[in-house]
Amino acid sequence: MTTTLRPGSAGADAARLPGRSLLRIGPVSLLIRRRAVLVAAALTVLLLLAVVLSLSLGTPYVAPADVLRALSGAGTPYDLVVFDLRLPRVVLAAVAGAAFGVAGTLIQSVARNPLASPDVIGITQGAGLAATVALTSGMAAVLVAPTALVGGLLAAVLLFALGARHGLAAQRFVLAGVAVAFGFRALTEVVMLTADPIDGLRAQIWLIGTLAGKGWTEAAWIAGTLLVLLPVLAWAGWALNSTALDDDTARGVGLRPVARRIGLAGTGVLVAAMVTAQVGAVDFVALVAPQVARRLVRAERPPLVCAALLGALLLVLADLAGRRLFAPTQLPAGVLTAAIGGPYLIFLLLRGRRRSS
């Protein structure tokens, strides 16, 4: 959404481009795409409305006005329902969705491929294999998430080892990820087939991705990771502007494209591994959010902030739909996000066919 410019530099001329404004903060100048700001503001409003709706719907029903009074601390008969039963899960959905949006944006930008996401390049499958082993081996429940995180990071190490040649080239990076994903998925199936049926069912639910029974602890881990990485993410938001350049052009303007790709991809897989370890394999949010945000902003690359907001909105709505569509039966959020992702892939196929014709 923004680009850092030096006053008087050649890049400052871009500030006069239509649809962009130059914001100066002390010695730093930021080139802002006005449409991106408007889209981010609209997504923030929609996210807040979705949060209030999610806190309101359920048994018992809480009127939106009572939800707002409870959140303001005015004291209502529904404080227990809003604060203790619903708010932790809604906050987790928003934080996890934002993290998936960030991870997907970074990975797709490095891969230069709209189909690249943590659930395509093997990070989700690595975390899933580790979680499946933990759940089927009698490991304590508190150790499942850390084990899944280790699995996701090991998958990232394997991905970088296979895709590091030629400076982490985009096509090789994606192909290495697909290979890692298939390998871990096959191993997961083997573990589940040889496990106790009950433990296998628990692992299957984890692999689908659900927010049921989770709340503040998981949200704190994800939010803490994003806060720790905030300086890196600020750099990533600026560095993403150069990912569309080929290596020779990037070097010609004084950039280090290989180091940038490694930094962006490393940050993306770390965020993806952490959020998957906490909420399970919620597919398609990291795939869909960056590309839809890019189309809303009409930008050349996925915008980081808008993708995070859209990811949060998608997961809050998916979790709400999972809770209410077939109540009292609750569907895992991953089922609903998969229902969104399928039509999206068909849309990409039809769009690609229309362009080729």
Side-chain angles (χ1 to χ4, degrees), residues 101-194:
V102 168
T105 298
L106 297 179
I107 292 171
Q108 289 182 6
S109 298
V110 172
R112 300 176 188 176
N113 189 326
L115 296 180
S117 68
D119 42 318
V120 172
I121 63 170
I123 307 303
T124 300
Q125 288 77 9
L129 173 61
T132 301
V133 171
L135 289 167
T136 57
S137 62
M139 192 176 290
V142 70
L143 297 178
V144 173
T147 305
L149 176 61
V150 172
L153 294 178
L154 287 176
V157 171
L158 185 57
L159 169 64
F160 278 97
L162 294 174
R165 286 188 179 181
H166 309 296
L168 207 65
Q171 186 176 6
R172 185 180 180 87
F173 179 74
V174 175
L175 289 177
V178 172
V180 170
F182 275 108
F184 279 118
R185 184 174 298 167
L187 291 174
T188 302
E189 294 292 337
V190 171
V191 173
M192 291 183 64
L193 287 174
T194 57

Side-chain angles (χ1 to χ4, degrees), residues 40-57:
L43 289 173
T44 301
V45 172
L46 291 175
L47 176 60
L48 292 176
L49 291 175
V51 167
V52 172
L53 186 65
S54 186
L55 293 174
S56 178
L57 296 181

Side-chain angles (χ1 to χ4, degrees), residues 5-330:
L5 298 175
R6 294 185 181 88
S9 67
D13 293 337
R16 292 189 287 271
L17 289 174
R20 304 191 182 195
S21 299
L22 187 64
L23 175 65
R24 297 183 186 278
I25 305 175
V28 178
S29 299
L30 301 176
L31 184 61
I32 298 175
R33 188 187 292 268
R34 290 195 292 274
R35 186 177 178 85
V37 175
L38 293 176
V39 171
L43 289 173
T44 301
V45 172
L46 291 175
L47 176 60
L48 292 176
L49 291 175
V51 167
V52 172
L53 186 65
S54 186
L55 293 174
S56 178
L57 296 181
T59 306
Y61 169 76
V62 182
D66 288 330
V67 170
L68 295 178
R69 277 198 292 271
L71 293 177
S72 68
T76 72
Y78 302 104
D79 284 0
L80 176 65
V81 175
V82 172
F83 279 108
D84 294 344
L85 299 182
R86 296 180 186 170
L87 187 60
R89 183 163 168 171
V90 174
V91 171
L92 174 60
V95 173
F100 276 124
V102 168
T105 298
L106 297 179
I107 292 171
Q108 289 182 6
S109 298
V110 172
R112 300 176 188 176
N113 189 326
L115 296 180
S117 68
D119 42 318
V120 172
I121 63 170
I123 307 303
T124 300
Q125 288 77 9
L129 173 61
T132 301
V133 171
L135 289 167
T136 57
S137 62
M139 192 176 290
V142 70
L143 297 178
V144 173
T147 305
L149 176 61
V150 172
L153 294 178
L154 287 176
V157 171
L158 185 57
L159 169 64
F160 278 97
L162 294 174
R165 286 188 179 181
H166 309 296
L168 207 65
Q171 186 176 6
R172 185 180 180 87
F173 179 74
V174 175
L175 289 177
V178 172
V180 170
F182 275 108
F184 279 118
R185 184 174 298 167
L187 291 174
T188 302
E189 294 292 337
V190 171
V191 173
M192 291 183 64
L193 287 174
T194 57
D196 179 84
I198 300 298
D199 292 335
L201 181 60
R202 292 172 57 208
Q204 184 64 46
I205 293 174
W206 192 96
L207 290 173
I208 294 174
T210 180
L211 306 183
K214 301 172 182 174
W216 291 125
T217 302
E218 292 78 9
W221 276 106
I222 300 170
T225 301
L226 293 176
L227 286 176
V228 169
L229 292 175
L230 195 57
V232 181
L233 294 175
W235 164 80
W238 170 72
L240 285 172
N241 292 305
S242 65
T243 53
L245 301 177
D246 60 73
D247 287 1
D248 291 337
T249 304
R251 291 191 184 96
V253 296
L255 302 178
R256 299 168 61 190
V258 176
R260 287 188 175 216
R261 283 201 295 271
I262 293 175
L264 292 172
T267 305
V269 297
L270 178 60
V271 173
M274 171 55 77
V275 66
T276 303
Q278 298 301 324
V279 301
V282 181
D283 291 336
F284 288 111
V285 176
L287 176 72
V288 173
Q291 290 303 313
V292 174
R294 184 177 72 81
R295 284 167 171 77
L296 290 174
V297 175
R298 298 176 184 170
E300 301 81 14
R301 59 170 180 79
L304 196 62
V305 174
C306 291
L309 289 169
L310 190 58
L313 177 62
L314 285 175
L315 197 50
V316 168
L317 292 177
D319 184 57
L320 172 61
R323 285 195 295 117
R324 300 309 308 161
L325 280 181
F326 299 98
T329 301
Q330 294 193 19

